[in-house]
Amino acid sequence: MEEMKQGYDPSEFEEDDYLQQPEQDKSIRGYRIVIIILSVILVALSALYFSVHRQQMLDNALLQGEKDSIQNDLGKLMTDYDNLRVSNDTISANLSMERNRADSLMARLKKERSWSYAKIKQYEKEVGTLRSVMRSYIKQIDSLNTLNKKLISENVSYRKEISSAKLRADMAEEKAQELDNKVRVGSVIRARDITMSTLNHNSKPVSRIKSAARLRVDFTLSANELASPGEKAIYMRITSPDGYVLTTESMPTFEFEGENISYSAMREVDYQNKDLDVAIYFNSTGFTAGTYLIELYCDGRMIGSTKTAKR
């Protein structure tokens, strides 16, 4: 122990500790500096991270807003395309094609996941192109509508003119028809002074019709310069008091107003637009007293009639 004590020198340890103390202090200060620097860097990185993250959030919000705006604009544009109506087949086909392009663009917008300002600009450009195309079609449609209105107005005007001309033509035709009717009516030969005599077999007058063997009807064809001259067939119908037309066994007929009607006797005369006295005979027996109706026809018209009473 004494040797050990003799060998121990406290001053030596104190001197070593003194020599090591400054080195330890330097190391601690170095660590502190490093920690401070790292802390500053960490704070700076944190601040930068939050700043970048916030900017990204702002950018994403702006991009989402731009995306929604583009979708809204495209949706309105698609509605405008749907509302466009035109009868022109070429423009209608082109509108359908542009509407399909809008559908395709909307599908791409909804499927897009990676957004950037460059893509926003690209989509805005495509929507703008569709809008410009639609405006050009709107101008064409307006021009066509204006042209159609002009054509309709001209058509109405032409129709009015045509209608007016047709009305004038119809009036002229009506007047011509009226004049023609007047001429035809005016050209009809009229029979006047119609009388009926009763005669026996010797053509002598008898007072009673029961004794008659012949009936003679006398009349005058009036002069008419409008009538066509020449040979005329005069048909006579005598209707007895009991309502039957007196005729022969052969029951001859002539056409009148589209029907064949029987007659009592017929005579052809040469009419030259002057008064012409005519007598027509009907031979038969068994006449009865009463009122007889006498009708005369020529050229498809009734030219005269009268009633006479016989005893």
PDB file of all heavy atoms in Angstrom, residues 283-311:
ATOM      1  N   ASN A 283    -151.627  13.444-136.729  1.00  0.00           N
ATOM      2  CA  ASN A 283    -152.793  12.661-137.126  1.00  0.00           C
ATOM      3  C   ASN A 283    -153.074  11.569-136.090  1.00  0.00           C
ATOM      4  O   ASN A 283    -152.189  10.770-135.754  1.00  0.00           O
ATOM      5  CB  ASN A 283    -152.567  12.011-138.489  1.00  0.00           C
ATOM      6  CG  ASN A 283    -152.338  13.046-139.584  1.00  0.00           C
ATOM      7  OD1 ASN A 283    -152.947  14.126-139.563  1.00  0.00           O
ATOM      8  ND2 ASN A 283    -151.470  12.736-140.529  1.00  0.00           N
ATOM      9  N   SER A 284    -154.321  11.563-135.606  1.00  0.00           N
ATOM     10  CA  SER A 284    -154.749  10.530-134.664  1.00  0.00           C
ATOM     11  C   SER A 284    -156.243  10.698-134.406  1.00  0.00           C
ATOM     12  O   SER A 284    -156.894  11.592-134.973  1.00  0.00           O
ATOM     13  CB  SER A 284    -153.967  10.629-133.357  1.00  0.00           C
ATOM     14  OG  SER A 284    -154.292   9.542-132.512  1.00  0.00           O
ATOM     15  N   THR A 285    -156.785   9.854-133.543  1.00  0.00           N
ATOM     16  CA  THR A 285    -158.195   9.953-133.165  1.00  0.00           C
ATOM     17  C   THR A 285    -158.330   9.711-131.673  1.00  0.00           C
ATOM     18  O   THR A 285    -157.335   9.374-130.995  1.00  0.00           O
ATOM     19  CB  THR A 285    -159.028   8.909-133.922  1.00  0.00           C
ATOM     20  OG1 THR A 285    -158.522   7.606-133.651  1.00  0.00           O
ATOM     21  CG2 THR A 285    -159.034   9.175-135.433  1.00  0.00           C
ATOM     22  N   GLY A 286    -159.563   9.873-131.186  1.00  0.00           N
ATOM     23  CA  GLY A 286    -159.826   9.622-129.770  1.00  0.00           C
ATOM     24  C   GLY A 286    -159.388  10.749-128.869  1.00  0.00           C
ATOM     25  O   GLY A 286    -159.059  10.516-127.688  1.00  0.00           O
ATOM     26  N   PHE A 287    -159.353  11.953-129.373  1.00  0.00           N
ATOM     27  CA  PHE A 287    -158.991  13.096-128.536  1.00  0.00           C
ATOM     28  C   PHE A 287    -160.092  13.386-127.524  1.00  0.00           C
ATOM     29  O   PHE A 287    -161.274  13.203-127.812  1.00  0.00           O
ATOM     30  CB  PHE A 287    -158.738  14.336-129.406  1.00  0.00           C
ATOM     31  CG  PHE A 287    -157.625  14.151-130.415  1.00  0.00           C
ATOM     32  CD1 PHE A 287    -157.934  14.125-131.782  1.00  0.00           C
ATOM     33  CD2 PHE A 287    -156.317  14.009-130.006  1.00  0.00           C
ATOM     34  CE1 PHE A 287    -156.927  13.973-132.715  1.00  0.00           C
ATOM     35  CE2 PHE A 287    -155.306  13.840-130.949  1.00  0.00           C
ATOM     36  CZ  PHE A 287    -155.609  13.812-132.298  1.00  0.00           C
ATOM     37  N   THR A 288    -159.726  13.871-126.389  1.00  0.00           N
ATOM     38  CA  THR A 288    -160.689  14.221-125.336  1.00  0.00           C
ATOM     39  C   THR A 288    -160.644  15.717-125.074  1.00  0.00           C
ATOM     40  O   THR A 288    -159.638  16.384-125.301  1.00  0.00           O
ATOM     41  CB  THR A 288    -160.354  13.468-124.038  1.00  0.00           C
ATOM     42  OG1 THR A 288    -159.042  13.818-123.612  1.00  0.00           O
ATOM     43  CG2 THR A 288    -160.452  11.961-124.234  1.00  0.00           C
ATOM     44  N   ALA A 289    -161.778  16.219-124.581  1.00  0.00           N
ATOM     45  CA  ALA A 289    -161.839  17.653-124.271  1.00  0.00           C
ATOM     46  C   ALA A 289    -160.981  17.965-123.055  1.00  0.00           C
ATOM     47  O   ALA A 289    -160.782  17.152-122.172  1.00  0.00           O
ATOM     48  CB  ALA A 289    -163.292  18.042-124.017  1.00  0.00           C
ATOM     49  N   GLY A 290    -160.490  19.176-123.032  1.00  0.00           N
ATOM     50  CA  GLY A 290    -159.661  19.608-121.912  1.00  0.00           C
ATOM     51  C   GLY A 290    -158.543  20.522-122.372  1.00  0.00           C
ATOM     52  O   GLY A 290    -158.549  21.026-123.501  1.00  0.00           O
ATOM     53  N   THR A 291    -157.568  20.745-121.481  1.00  0.00           N
ATOM     54  CA  THR A 291    -156.452  21.659-121.778  1.00  0.00           C
ATOM     55  C   THR A 291    -155.254  20.871-122.286  1.00  0.00           C
ATOM     56  O   THR A 291    -154.796  19.917-121.635  1.00  0.00           O
ATOM     57  CB  THR A 291    -156.051  22.453-120.517  1.00  0.00           C
ATOM     58  OG1 THR A 291    -157.198  23.198-120.063  1.00  0.00           O
ATOM     59  CG2 THR A 291    -154.896  23.399-120.820  1.00  0.00           C
ATOM     60  N   TYR A 292    -154.731  21.315-123.425  1.00  0.00           N
ATOM     61  CA  TYR A 292    -153.572  20.670-124.050  1.00  0.00           C
ATOM     62  C   TYR A 292    -152.337  21.581-123.900  1.00  0.00           C
ATOM     63  O   TYR A 292    -152.444  22.795-124.038  1.00  0.00           O
ATOM     64  CB  TYR A 292    -153.841  20.390-125.529  1.00  0.00           C
ATOM     65  CG  TYR A 292    -154.799  19.233-125.762  1.00  0.00           C
ATOM     66  CD1 TYR A 292    -156.174  19.425-125.595  1.00  0.00           C
ATOM     67  CD2 TYR A 292    -154.319  17.997-126.137  1.00  0.00           C
ATOM     68  CE1 TYR A 292    -157.048  18.381-125.796  1.00  0.00           C
ATOM     69  CE2 TYR A 292    -155.216  16.935-126.350  1.00  0.00           C
ATOM     70  CZ  TYR A 292    -156.569  17.127-126.169  1.00  0.00           C
ATOM     71  OH  TYR A 292    -157.440  16.087-126.357  1.00  0.00           O
ATOM     72  N   LEU A 293    -151.199  20.915-123.660  1.00  0.00           N
ATOM     73  CA  LEU A 293    -149.921  21.640-123.568  1.00  0.00           C
ATOM     74  C   LEU A 293    -149.143  21.400-124.852  1.00  0.00           C
ATOM     75  O   LEU A 293    -148.922  20.251-125.248  1.00  0.00           O
ATOM     76  CB  LEU A 293    -149.104  21.176-122.368  1.00  0.00           C
ATOM     77  CG  LEU A 293    -147.660  21.714-122.274  1.00  0.00           C
ATOM     78  CD1 LEU A 293    -147.668  23.240-122.075  1.00  0.00           C
ATOM     79  CD2 LEU A 293    -146.902  21.031-121.130  1.00  0.00           C
ATOM     80  N   ILE A 294    -148.702  22.500-125.479  1.00  0.00           N
ATOM     81  CA  ILE A 294    -147.924  22.411-126.721  1.00  0.00           C
ATOM     82  C   ILE A 294    -146.523  22.952-126.453  1.00  0.00           C
ATOM     83  O   ILE A 294    -146.346  24.071-125.939  1.00  0.00           O
ATOM     84  CB  ILE A 294    -148.596  23.215-127.854  1.00  0.00           C
ATOM     85  CG1 ILE A 294    -150.024  22.729-128.063  1.00  0.00           C
ATOM     86  CG2 ILE A 294    -147.785  23.102-129.138  1.00  0.00           C
ATOM     87  CD1 ILE A 294    -150.849  23.644-128.949  1.00  0.00           C
ATOM     88  N   GLU A 295    -145.497  22.147-126.814  1.00  0.00           N
ATOM     89  CA  GLU A 295    -144.092  22.556-126.632  1.00  0.00           C
ATOM     90  C   GLU A 295    -143.357  22.360-127.946  1.00  0.00           C
ATOM     91  O   GLU A 295    -143.533  21.343-128.631  1.00  0.00           O
ATOM     92  CB  GLU A 295    -143.417  21.716-125.538  1.00  0.00           C
ATOM     93  CG  GLU A 295    -144.029  21.900-124.155  1.00  0.00           C
ATOM     94  CD  GLU A 295    -143.448  20.937-123.134  1.00  0.00           C
ATOM     95  OE1 GLU A 295    -143.119  19.783-123.526  1.00  0.00           O
ATOM     96  OE2 GLU A 295    -143.349  21.323-121.958  1.00  0.00           O
ATOM     97  N   LEU A 296    -142.514  23.342-128.292  1.00  0.00           N
ATOM     98  CA  LEU A 296    -141.736  23.309-129.535  1.00  0.00           C
ATOM     99  C   LEU A 296    -140.240  23.358-129.191  1.00  0.00           C
ATOM    100  O   LEU A 296    -139.810  24.139-128.318  1.00  0.00           O
ATOM    101  CB  LEU A 296    -142.115  24.480-130.429  1.00  0.00           C
ATOM    102  CG  LEU A 296    -143.574  24.517-130.886  1.00  0.00           C
ATOM    103  CD1 LEU A 296    -143.885  25.831-131.596  1.00  0.00           C
ATOM    104  CD2 LEU A 296    -143.888  23.327-131.797  1.00  0.00           C
ATOM    105  N   TYR A 297    -139.435  22.534-129.887  1.00  0.00           N
ATOM    106  CA  TYR A 297    -137.999  22.424-129.611  1.00  0.00           C
ATOM    107  C   TYR A 297    -137.218  22.558-130.908  1.00  0.00           C
ATOM    108  O   TYR A 297    -137.663  22.103-131.973  1.00  0.00           O
ATOM    109  CB  TYR A 297    -137.664  21.071-128.977  1.00  0.00           C
ATOM    110  CG  TYR A 297    -138.297  20.851-127.626  1.00  0.00           C
ATOM    111  CD1 TYR A 297    -139.610  20.361-127.531  1.00  0.00           C
ATOM    112  CD2 TYR A 297    -137.602  21.100-126.459  1.00  0.00           C
ATOM    113  CE1 TYR A 297    -140.203  20.141-126.303  1.00  0.00           C
ATOM    114  CE2 TYR A 297    -138.200  20.875-125.220  1.00  0.00           C
ATOM    115  CZ  TYR A 297    -139.485  20.394-125.151  1.00  0.00           C
ATOM    116  OH  TYR A 297    -140.068  20.182-123.922  1.00  0.00           O
ATOM    117  N   CYS A 298    -136.020  23.180-130.786  1.00  0.00           N
ATOM    118  CA  CYS A 298    -135.129  23.314-131.934  1.00  0.00           C
ATOM    119  C   CYS A 298    -133.700  23.502-131.436  1.00  0.00           C
ATOM    120  O   CYS A 298    -133.458  24.260-130.474  1.00  0.00           O
ATOM    121  CB  CYS A 298    -135.542  24.502-132.809  1.00  0.00           C
ATOM    122  SG  CYS A 298    -134.496  24.756-134.260  1.00  0.00           S
ATOM    123  N   ASP A 299    -132.748  22.826-132.081  1.00  0.00           N
ATOM    124  CA  ASP A 299    -131.322  22.944-131.722  1.00  0.00           C
ATOM    125  C   ASP A 299    -131.083  22.653-130.235  1.00  0.00           C
ATOM    126  O   ASP A 299    -130.259  23.294-129.563  1.00  0.00           O
ATOM    127  CB  ASP A 299    -130.786  24.342-132.060  1.00  0.00           C
ATOM    128  CG  ASP A 299    -130.736  24.585-133.559  1.00  0.00           C
ATOM    129  OD1 ASP A 299    -130.686  23.592-134.318  1.00  0.00           O
ATOM    130  OD2 ASP A 299    -130.764  25.768-133.955  1.00  0.00           O
ATOM    131  N   GLY A 300    -131.825  21.670-129.702  1.00  0.00           N
ATOM    132  CA  GLY A 300    -131.614  21.273-128.322  1.00  0.00           C
ATOM    133  C   GLY A 300    -132.190  22.204-127.293  1.00  0.00           C
ATOM    134  O   GLY A 300    -131.882  22.086-126.106  1.00  0.00           O
ATOM    135  N   ARG A 301    -133.039  23.142-127.686  1.00  0.00           N
ATOM    136  CA  ARG A 301    -133.656  24.084-126.758  1.00  0.00           C
ATOM    137  C   ARG A 301    -135.165  24.144-126.988  1.00  0.00           C
ATOM    138  O   ARG A 301    -135.639  23.900-128.104  1.00  0.00           O
ATOM    139  CB  ARG A 301    -133.072  25.492-126.929  1.00  0.00           C
ATOM    140  CG  ARG A 301    -131.624  25.625-126.491  1.00  0.00           C
ATOM    141  CD  ARG A 301    -131.121  27.040-126.754  1.00  0.00           C
ATOM    142  NE  ARG A 301    -129.761  27.220-126.291  1.00  0.00           N
ATOM    143  CZ  ARG A 301    -129.411  27.582-125.060  1.00  0.00           C
ATOM    144  NH1 ARG A 301    -130.350  27.806-124.154  1.00  0.00           N
ATOM    145  NH2 ARG A 301    -128.140  27.737-124.725  1.00  0.00           N
ATOM    146  N   MET A 302    -135.868  24.477-125.901  1.00  0.00           N
ATOM    147  CA  MET A 302    -137.291  24.731-126.053  1.00  0.00           C
ATOM    148  C   MET A 302    -137.453  26.149-126.590  1.00  0.00           C
ATOM    149  O   MET A 302    -136.944  27.109-125.993  1.00  0.00           O
ATOM    150  CB  MET A 302    -138.036  24.598-124.723  1.00  0.00           C
ATOM    151  CG  MET A 302    -139.530  24.859-124.857  1.00  0.00           C
ATOM    152  SD  MET A 302    -140.402  24.885-123.274  1.00  0.00           S
ATOM    153  CE  MET A 302    -140.305  23.153-122.819  1.00  0.00           C
ATOM    154  N   ILE A 303    -138.133  26.282-127.701  1.00  0.00           N
ATOM    155  CA  ILE A 303    -138.229  27.601-128.329  1.00  0.00           C
ATOM    156  C   ILE A 303    -139.599  28.246-128.122  1.00  0.00           C
ATOM    157  O   ILE A 303    -139.809  29.398-128.492  1.00  0.00           O
ATOM    158  CB  ILE A 303    -137.919  27.504-129.832  1.00  0.00           C
ATOM    159  CG1 ILE A 303    -138.929  26.599-130.536  1.00  0.00           C
ATOM    160  CG2 ILE A 303    -136.487  26.992-130.047  1.00  0.00           C
ATOM    161  CD1 ILE A 303    -138.777  26.574-132.049  1.00  0.00           C
ATOM    162  N   GLY A 304    -140.520  27.484-127.514  1.00  0.00           N
ATOM    163  CA  GLY A 304    -141.830  28.078-127.261  1.00  0.00           C
ATOM    164  C   GLY A 304    -142.796  27.059-126.706  1.00  0.00           C
ATOM    165  O   GLY A 304    -142.624  25.840-126.904  1.00  0.00           O
ATOM    166  N   SER A 305    -143.813  27.539-125.965  1.00  0.00           N
ATOM    167  CA  SER A 305    -144.842  26.632-125.424  1.00  0.00           C
ATOM    168  C   SER A 305    -146.113  27.444-125.162  1.00  0.00           C
ATOM    169  O   SER A 305    -146.062  28.674-124.993  1.00  0.00           O
ATOM    170  CB  SER A 305    -144.350  25.965-124.131  1.00  0.00           C
ATOM    171  OG  SER A 305    -144.190  26.940-123.104  1.00  0.00           O
ATOM    172  N   THR A 306    -147.227  26.724-125.116  1.00  0.00           N
ATOM    173  CA  THR A 306    -148.502  27.375-124.799  1.00  0.00           C
ATOM    174  C   THR A 306    -149.493  26.311-124.363  1.00  0.00           C
ATOM    175  O   THR A 306    -149.278  25.107-124.601  1.00  0.00           O
ATOM    176  CB  THR A 306    -149.052  28.132-126.010  1.00  0.00           C
ATOM    177  OG1 THR A 306    -150.183  28.917-125.598  1.00  0.00           O
ATOM    178  CG2 THR A 306    -149.509  27.169-127.100  1.00  0.00           C
ATOM    179  N   LYS A 307    -150.557  26.727-123.711  1.00  0.00           N
ATOM    180  CA  LYS A 307    -151.655  25.849-123.325  1.00  0.00           C
ATOM    181  C   LYS A 307    -152.949  26.320-124.024  1.00  0.00           C
ATOM    182  O   LYS A 307    -153.175  27.522-124.137  1.00  0.00           O
ATOM    183  CB  LYS A 307    -151.853  25.851-121.820  1.00  0.00           C
ATOM    184  CG  LYS A 307    -150.751  25.161-121.036  1.00  0.00           C
ATOM    185  CD  LYS A 307    -151.027  25.180-119.543  1.00  0.00           C
ATOM    186  CE  LYS A 307    -149.931  24.450-118.772  1.00  0.00           C
ATOM    187  NZ  LYS A 307    -150.226  24.444-117.305  1.00  0.00           N
ATOM    188  N   THR A 308    -153.698  25.351-124.458  1.00  0.00           N
ATOM    189  CA  THR A 308    -154.963  25.699-125.131  1.00  0.00           C
ATOM    190  C   THR A 308    -156.048  24.739-124.684  1.00  0.00           C
ATOM    191  O   THR A 308    -155.797  23.531-124.539  1.00  0.00           O
ATOM    192  CB  THR A 308    -154.802  25.654-126.660  1.00  0.00           C
ATOM    193  OG1 THR A 308    -156.050  26.012-127.265  1.00  0.00           O
ATOM    194  CG2 THR A 308    -154.360  24.289-127.145  1.00  0.00           C
ATOM    195  N   ALA A 309    -157.251  25.262-124.448  1.00  0.00           N
ATOM    196  CA  ALA A 309    -158.381  24.439-124.006  1.00  0.00           C
ATOM    197  C   ALA A 309    -159.252  24.113-125.177  1.00  0.00           C
ATOM    198  O   ALA A 309    -159.581  24.955-126.004  1.00  0.00           O
ATOM    199  CB  ALA A 309    -159.185  25.168-122.928  1.00  0.00           C
ATOM    200  N   LYS A 310    -159.637  22.840-125.247  1.00  0.00           N
ATOM    201  CA  LYS A 310    -160.480  22.374-126.341  1.00  0.00           C
ATOM    202  C   LYS A 310    -161.718  21.666-125.751  1.00  0.00           C
ATOM    203  O   LYS A 310    -161.610  20.926-124.769  1.00  0.00           O
ATOM    204  CB  LYS A 310    -159.707  21.419-127.274  1.00  0.00           C
ATOM    205  CG  LYS A 310    -158.560  22.072-128.011  1.00  0.00           C
ATOM    206  CD  LYS A 310    -159.033  23.159-128.943  1.00  0.00           C
ATOM    207  CE  LYS A 310    -157.876  23.837-129.667  1.00  0.00           C
ATOM    208  NZ  LYS A 310    -158.351  24.888-130.587  1.00  0.00           N
ATOM    209  N   ARG A 311    -162.868  21.925-126.495  1.00  0.00           N
ATOM    210  CA  ARG A 311    -164.130  21.299-126.060  1.00  0.00           C
ATOM    211  C   ARG A 311    -164.349  19.991-126.780  1.00  0.00           C
ATOM    212  O   ARG A 311    -163.884  19.794-127.890  1.00  0.00           O
ATOM    213  CB  ARG A 311    -165.312  22.243-126.338  1.00  0.00           C
ATOM    214  CG  ARG A 311    -165.272  23.504-125.474  1.00  0.00           C
ATOM    215  CD  ARG A 311    -166.481  24.370-125.735  1.00  0.00           C
ATOM    216  NE  ARG A 311    -166.487  24.834-127.133  1.00  0.00           N
ATOM    217  CZ  ARG A 311    -167.555  25.399-127.690  1.00  0.00           C
ATOM    218  NH1 ARG A 311    -168.683  25.549-126.989  1.00  0.00           N
ATOM    219  NH2 ARG A 311    -167.506  25.808-128.931  1.00  0.00           N
TER     220      ARG A 311
END
